[in-house]
Amino acid sequence: MKKLNKLPQELINQIAAGEVIERPSSIVKELIDNSIDAGASIIKIKIEQGGLKTLEISDNGIGISPENLPTVFEAHTTSKISTLEDLNNIITMGFRGEALSTIVAVSQVSITSKTSENDTAYSLEFDGITPKDVKRAARDIGTTITVRNIFHNIPARQKFLKTAETEYRKIIEIATPFLLYYPNIQFIILKDGKEVINTPTTSQKPGLDLQRIQKVLKADHISRMFPIEYNGAGISITGYSAHPKDNYDKVNDQYIFVNNRSIWDFGIAKSVRSAYSRFIPNTQKVPFVISIKINSNLVDVNVHPRKEEVRFENPYRVYSAIEEAVSTALQKLVKTENSVTNYTSAIPSHAPSFLNDITPSKNYKQSPMFNSTSPSESREIRFDKAPKEFNIQQSLNFSKEILEIKQDDQPVNHTRDQIDVNKVFQIFNKYIVIEHEDTLIMMDQHAAAERINFEKLEGSIENKRMDKQALLMPLEIEINESEASYIKESEDFFESLGFTIELESAILKITAVPSIFSGQDIEKLFREIFQLSDDQRDVKKSFENAKQNILATLACHGSIRKGQPLTPYEGLHLYLDLMRCSNPYSCPHGRPAIWKQKLTDIDTNFYRTY
Ligand code: ADP
Ligand code: MG
């Protein structure tokens, strides 16, 4: 092991102060960092009660010599930097020399370690922050650090800790980037004695490896990712990005690494997104895993206390490189797929012919998914899934009602409570405008559809009329550890909604769904629920609140989207359905659904008095 150095005061001041340890997951992050720095190829993480009780990280790295055991727990002790210049050049993960000293200050720590130079291992315990005697112990080369009772001496911080299950998920969240980026390391995670993650090594060196990424992130869309590569003027980019059809309203699976370190940078995420702008609706996002290597003097890693952000000397240089890299790869992908796929219409040929009459089929027909051959035509390619699947289902329902209208007196006459379908319009493909008597009604089609679905769902739960429909083939969704933990916690809730689910290690098996979801993409629906934050969906904490949030997500899932063309009939029915809701004025997320303007107000605006 290298000689330990006390950091000069100048350097100490350079290093951004701040809270290093916020919760059990922050400890896990620091300790994984250290194990990686120590050259470990196996890292084992034991978590008891979400780390609130015990965390134990062991590795097979170089170990710590007995004489250094007490020293490494002193503030600002590190073997990794000794001068200011080192700060930027250092490629290793940790460098403040304050992780161990902070951890020992907020919890009960013990350590056992063996180096190759010593015949035996040595261990050390603490009395507060004072080290006791170093004792002989037994273990192979490497280090085990055990951390118990986090914040036992700081009750004020304990208040901010969540339930064991939530803290556990936060640990998994923080460990995930390490699991992704180090396919050369076997990670073993045990939760309350049970092995939940074990990643065999799939590569000899750190970096992005699709096999490992798939093993860690599990979701189906990972297997459809395409590779990204870029090399130019001091920046090299590698990674994987999602197939455009795998676009979502919200997405968790977005990972950025800069010089081997997991960071978040909104600008980078936006640049990836821009590359997709011609392929997916502009509200949608895609999963990606990207690694950027950049000359270390062009990036400042010292702007965030937990190193979760960086500052680029020239961010736009980085952003344009990202956009170019993704865009080039995307073009290539689309070309390849075009040459093998030949969809001619978004409406499948087996769709009932009446769809052509009642759907706004002009636009649908003209938005082929994959049928272009020339580059200029490929500008029109869009991977907007909503209209395709949903339109047919929805249209069938609409059609029934519309046919009823058509049968009696169509077009509808001006009576007090009926609206003339000729005075119903769609504008900008997202609002329905209706002139009715002395009122101009404007409705946000997506907000309205969400509200309608939401109340339908809520109603059926209240009446316990969750008609279940057994699936012919059980649906099996591969889920990751954090998702499994959530499902386990919320199983009863989903049962009460009408789902029949089973959890078999990394597989969520769905055998029945509420009838209102039959024909829907159930996997996508669950994926969207997984994207909700813990606070939004924690059924244990606030059942009512979580129920509302989850229902809102479900409702949103099956709803007419903005950007979806609707016929006047469809628009009218949406309005009539909305008016039957108990709260027609906002969508379940609280955005307004409808806006009315009286003719007199319009007149006033034009100074018109007659
Ligand atoms: P830093 O990682 O910034 O140097 P830490 O407080 O995290 O500071 O660790 C202090 C020192 O303890 C490290 O520089 C390293 O020499 C030693 N160390 C910590 N964890 C391990 C480990 N798992 N294996 C070997 N050495 C370790
Ligand atoms: Mg460290």
Side-chain angles (χ1 to χ4, degrees):
M1 174 180 185
K2 276 197 241 158
K3 193 175 156 294
L4 296 169
N5 301 298
K6 282 269 185 192
L7 300 180
Q9 191 59 42
E10 187 194 10
L11 187 50
I12 294 170
N13 297 347
Q14 284 282 320
I15 294 170
E19 295 281 5
V20 184
I21 309 300
E22 208 182 10
R23 51 187 355 113
S25 61
S26 352
I27 295 182
V28 172
K29 183 181 182 201
E30 294 296 335
L31 297 185
I32 297 180
D33 260 356
N34 284 349
S35 295
I36 292 173
D37 289 343
S41 63
I42 303 175
I43 300 176
K44 193 168 180 176
I45 305 161
K46 289 188 192 168
I47 305 161
E48 304 269 324
Q49 292 179 16
L52 298 170
K53 189 170 165 234
T54 314
L55 280 172
E56 186 182 283
I57 281 86
S58 40
D59 65 53
N60 61 349
I62 56 168
I64 303 170
S65 62
E67 58 277 16
N68 278 333
L69 271 185
T71 327
V72 294
F73 288 92
E74 287 171 20
H76 308 301
T77 311
T78 176
S79 56
K80 295 161 198 162
I81 35 173
S82 49
T83 68
L84 202 54
E85 285 80 69
D86 280 349
L87 192 58
N88 266 346
N89 292 329
I90 201 149
I91 312 287
T92 50
M93 303 297 291
F95 64 170
R96 291 173 306 265
E98 61 186 14
L100 292 183
S101 60
T102 321
I103 295 168
V104 81
V106 301
S107 61
Q108 294 161 340
V109 175
S110 63
I111 182 167
T112 307
S113 193
K114 181 178 180 308
T115 65
S116 59
E117 287 108 54
N118 292 91
D119 293 339
T120 175
Y122 290 87
S123 70
L124 176 66
E125 291 189 10
F126 291 83
D127 188 6
I129 61 163
T130 317
K132 295 185 185 166
D133 290 340
V134 174
K135 289 187 182 145
R136 280 173 174 274
R139 68 149 291 154
D140 287 339
I141 294 175
T143 306
T144 301
I145 297 184
T146 313
V147 178
R148 294 191 178 86
N149 303 325
I150 181 171
F151 298 142
H152 65 103
N153 50 357
I154 315 175
R157 292 304 298 267
Q158 260 177 343
K159 277 206 306 255
F160 293 102
L161 296 173
K162 303 262 164 72
T163 63
E165 203 61 40
T166 305
E167 292 298 340
Y168 168 70
R169 280 198 292 278
K170 289 190 187 287
I171 293 174
I172 297 296
E173 257 162 49
I174 237 165
T176 300
F178 290 109
L179 270 61
L180 288 174
Y181 199 77
Y182 292 92
N184 56 325
I185 299 176
Q186 180 184 11
F187 290 91
I188 303 165
I189 301 185
L190 285 95
K191 179 193 188 198
D192 300 312
K194 197 175 146 243
E195 184 178 293
V196 287
I197 288 177
N198 189 339
T199 59
T201 56
T202 54
S203 167
Q204 292 306 308
K205 52 181 198 317
L208 299 177
D209 169 79
L210 195 57
Q211 222 185 325
R212 173 59 76 87
I213 297 173
Q214 252 169 310
K215 173 93 185 152
V216 176
L217 297 182
K218 298 265 169 57
D220 223 24
H221 55 235
I222 306 297
S223 59
R224 289 186 290 268
M225 282 182 154
F226 59 89
I228 300 160
E229 246 185 278
Y230 177 94
N231 244 309
I235 302 176
S236 95
I237 299 166
T238 53
Y240 297 90
S241 200
H243 190 285
K245 73 177 181 188
D246 297 317
N247 65 78
Y248 300 89
D249 279 354
K250 288 187 193 150
V251 35
N252 280 339
D253 289 345
Q254 295 186 328
Y255 295 90
I256 303 168
F257 298 86
V258 172
N259 293 350
N260 304 327
R261 181 181 285 282
S262 162
I263 60 123
W264 181 249
D265 184 297
F266 189 68
I268 291 178
K270 234 174 111 183
S271 315
V272 174
R273 180 62 192 75
S274 313
Y276 282 81
S277 59
R278 293 194 280 109
F279 302 96
I280 61 177
N282 59 13
T283 49
Q284 301 297 96
K285 300 185 181 69
V286 289
F288 61 79
V289 183
I290 280 178
S291 162
I292 301 163
K293 296 270 174 67
I294 181 166
N295 195 322
S296 63
N297 55 30
L298 298 178
V299 57
D300 182 359
V301 297
N302 213 19
V303 294
H304 189 280
R306 288 187 298 276
K307 310 281 174 285
E308 288 159 7
E309 285 166 23
V310 295
R311 186 182 297 133
F312 297 106
E313 193 178 85
N314 184 351
Y316 295 100
R317 171 84 195 80
V318 178
Y319 297 162
S320 66
I322 295 273
E323 187 172 342
E324 191 185 322
V326 181
S327 181
T328 310
L330 202 45
Q331 289 289 351
K332 220 160 92 188
L333 172 89
V334 170
K335 262 203 195 116
T336 332
E337 297 206 349
N338 274 341
S339 61
V340 293
T341 321
N342 188 23
Y343 292 106
T344 48
S345 168
I347 296 181
S349 53
H350 59 262
S353 60
F354 68 80
L355 282 181
N356 294 332
D357 304 327
I358 60 161
T359 55
S361 46
K362 202 169 108 233
N363 281 337
Y364 286 148
K365 282 185 190 157
Q366 287 180 346
S367 61
M369 306 292 273
F370 264 121
N371 73 341
S372 79
T373 41
S374 76
S376 65
E377 275 177 56
S378 78
R379 288 184 171 276
E380 298 308 318
I381 294 177
R382 290 210 152 250
F383 295 83
D384 187 347
K385 289 161 294 181
K388 190 182 154 212
E389 301 148 10
F390 191 67
N391 176 42
I392 293 164
Q393 169 98 12
Q394 190 75 358
S395 298
L396 282 167
N397 299 340
F398 277 134
S399 65
K400 275 193 221 136
E401 299 174 55
I402 288 162
L403 287 174
E404 281 158 21
I405 295 188
K406 276 185 177 167
Q407 271 161 11
D408 33 84
D409 48 354
Q410 193 261 115
V412 181
N413 286 329
H414 296 255
T415 60
R416 272 202 72 76
D417 44 11
Q418 274 182 313
I419 294 170
D420 181 355
V421 75
N422 292 315
K423 294 189 173 171
V424 179
F425 310 91
Q426 185 191 40
I427 60 170
F428 307 119
N429 274 351
K430 58 180 169 180
Y431 300 112
I432 303 298
V433 180
I434 302 172
E435 178 198 324
H436 179 48
E437 295 172 349
D438 66 341
T439 307
L440 179 74
I441 302 162
M442 266 188 253
M443 179 174 76
D444 178 324
Q445 65 187 45
H446 180 57
E450 275 187 305
R451 164 58 60 186
I452 295 161
N453 284 350
F454 180 82
E455 295 204 1
K456 260 191 215 160
L457 275 169
E458 214 181 24
S460 42
I461 292 180
E462 268 162 32
N463 307 332
K464 298 231 169 16
R465 276 200 301 115
M466 293 315 294
D467 296 336
K468 284 191 181 197
Q469 180 162 343
L471 298 176
L472 275 177
M473 290 275 291
L475 174 68
E476 297 196 346
I477 306 177
E478 231 188 317
I479 55 177
N480 64 33
E481 189 41 35
S482 150
E483 293 159 353
S485 146
Y486 170 68
I487 288 291
K488 211 178 105 200
E489 202 177 43
S490 326
E491 217 165 338
D492 294 347
F493 173 74
F494 287 105
E495 295 280 342
S496 79
L497 279 179
F499 290 94
T500 306
I501 55 180
E502 272 167 55
L503 196 58
E504 290 167 6
S505 67
I507 305 283
L508 170 63
K509 198 165 149 191
I510 302 173
T511 47
V513 299
S515 306
I516 35 172
F517 287 124
S518 70
Q520 291 278 346
D521 185 344
I522 304 294
E523 168 158 7
K524 182 150 194 264
L525 199 135
F526 272 87
R527 294 255 170 250
E528 292 196 359
I529 291 170
F530 293 144
Q531 310 301 325
L532 292 173
S533 74
D534 265 316
D535 282 341
Q536 287 173 306
R537 59 174 199 190
D538 192 346
V539 217
K540 292 274 176 316
K541 210 174 88 191
S542 160
F543 184 83
E544 201 41 41
N545 189 21
K547 188 181 93 179
Q548 301 276 322
N549 284 326
I550 294 169
L551 289 186
T553 306
L554 292 174
C556 169
H557 181 80
S559 295
I560 293 168
R561 303 271 153 172
K562 100 178 193 209
Q564 181 173 349
L566 295 180
T567 62
Y569 287 115
E570 289 171 327
L572 174 56
H573 274 268
L574 199 60
Y575 175 73
L576 297 176
D577 279 350
L578 181 66
M579 286 305 114
R580 272 182 230 125
C581 287
S582 61
N583 172 11
Y585 298 106
S586 76
C587 81
H589 304 286
R591 288 185 293 274
I594 206 150
W595 177 47
K596 293 183 179 177
Q597 197 80 57
K598 283 263 180 248
L599 177 59
T600 48
D601 294 331
I602 297 174
D603 284 343
T604 312
N605 259 296
F606 290 105
Y607 303 135
R608 187 178 279 282
T609 49
Y610 55 93

